[in-house]
Amino acid sequence: MHPNLNTHPHRRYNILTEEWVLVSPHRTKRPWQGKTETSDKKKQITYDPECYLCPTNTRAGGAVNDDYKNTFVFKNDFGALLEDTPLFDFKDGLLKAEGEKGICKVVCFSPNHSLTIPDMEIEDLKKVVTVWKKEFKELSEISGINYIQIFENKGAIMGCSNPHPHGQIWAQYAIPTEIQKKTHSQKKYFEKHGTSLLQDYLSQELAEDIRVISKNDSFVTLVPFWAIWPYEAMIIPKRKMANILEMNEKEKEDFAGQLKTLTQKYDALFDTSFPYSSGIHQAPTDGRSYDTWHWHMSFYPPLLRSATVKKFMVGYEMFAMPQRDITAESAAAQLKAL
Ligand SMILES: [Zn+2]
């Protein structure tokens, strides 16, 4: 890698979104006098009678959770999207809006209130991946569901009020902006080169081997060259697959393994239950062909230099573009060493 990238301010290009991030490696030694957050210490109870996700408890909407033993899925009682919304078009001069319908679900990863992904056994994480596949398949078969977002918000710092291990699935009519960008970039690359953008990117990353955190037979976990968040990471399947349904049993196990490895490294980094938003980006489900899509999972963690110092996207970042100090290479080296 060019030495200037370790020392001088520069912009890096995100090949998937076609956007830029400003990197300022010379600033990593400046003193910190900003806000610190309270460290998220884990509670060690397996059942909380007040938790709306624990087995057999009654949720705010009145429904009662199953006495589940592994995973449990239900429709969000207060979902941001609703199934019976009319699909209307509003246009008045320069004002434009569209009705948006969808389904919001909650996926409990385990009945144990205090477990998190890094604490879970690979066998149990495989069950979570199986549920993601099952939900993706069922939702994709519903007419009017054109995109499915699987994601997790972990930690109070990320706005997640409940420590019970769970994620969400939002399935909707419109194809969101991030997915439109990534559909465009991958299609454009494939038409020009005849190969998958992310497959070629992986080949370069594996050869260079300075941003790879971990890998196994089917997946590579790395800090992308264009990372915005300090310890941002991606888990990318080595084989081009448009969505998670294409994963075989061996790949499911390897994916679960990388999920555990990355999140364990995260927890070890600042000796805390590491907060993040993670999500799986995959091809739309609107019935068109998306064979240039290569699905991947991204982790956007907010912590900057300890369990209590968070990165804020403010000022220049709100008004111009994202900016980071610590380089992707330095973040990857720290995570790899753990
Ligand atoms: Zn709970």
Side-chain angles (χ1 to χ4, degrees), residues 71-83 102-109 127-140 142 145 147-153 166-172 244 278-280 282 285:
T71 57
F72 176 58
V73 182
F74 62 90
K75 271 185 198 161
N76 194 327
D77 305 311
F78 306 97
L81 295 162
L82 303 168
E83 276 173 272
I103 301 167
C104 294
K105 290 190 165 185
V106 176
V107 182
C108 298
F109 300 155
K127 289 173 188 159
V128 174
V129 178
T130 302
V131 167
W132 284 340
K133 285 182 72 167
K134 177 176 177 286
E135 289 296 326
F136 184 88
K137 183 165 193 305
E138 287 175 10
L139 288 163
S140 71
I142 299 172
I145 293 299
Y147 180 69
I148 298 160
Q149 182 61 57
I150 296 170
F151 66 98
E152 178 190 4
N153 278 333
H166 71 286
Q168 300 185 55
I169 302 177
W170 291 16
Q172 65 186 106
I244 57 173
S278 67
I280 300 176
Q282 40 192 335
T285 57

Side-chain angles (χ1 to χ4, degrees), residues 155-275:
I157 204 173
M158 297 307 290
C160 180
S161 51
N162 191 329
H164 195 111
H166 71 286
Q168 300 185 55
I169 302 177
W170 291 16
Q172 65 186 106
Y173 181 77
I175 297 173
T177 318
E178 284 296 291
I179 303 309
Q180 288 185 20
K181 289 182 215 163
K182 291 188 173 186
T183 300
H184 172 77
S185 61
Q186 294 184 97
K187 185 166 184 280
K188 197 172 72 176
Y189 187 90
F190 193 88
E191 282 168 357
K192 189 170 175 192
H193 302 275
T195 49
S196 149
L197 175 62
L198 277 186
Q199 226 163 7
D200 287 357
Y201 174 64
L202 274 188
S203 300
Q204 188 175 344
E205 285 290 8
L206 288 168
E208 222 175 325
D209 201 21
I210 50 173
R211 283 171 295 271
V212 173
I213 302 167
S214 166
K215 63 191 174 199
N216 56 28
D217 290 345
S218 324
F219 286 85
V220 178
T221 302
L222 51 79
V223 178
F225 181 70
W226 54 83
I228 289 173
W229 294 95
Y231 295 93
E232 181 174 331
M234 286 173 88
I235 302 178
I236 308 173
K238 287 182 178 172
R239 191 165 70 83
K240 176 170 75 73
M241 294 181 256
N243 60 50
I244 57 173
L245 297 184
E246 294 180 38
M247 257 191 294
N248 60 35
E249 277 304 306
K250 158 78 171 150
E251 286 165 334
K252 254 171 64 180
E253 173 139 1
D254 284 351
F255 180 40
Q258 290 297 289
L259 270 176
K260 185 171 172 74
T261 300
L262 174 62
T263 52
Q264 277 185 318
K265 283 174 177 288
Y266 274 161
D267 278 10
L269 183 64
F270 298 134
D271 190 26
T272 192
S273 184
F274 200 77

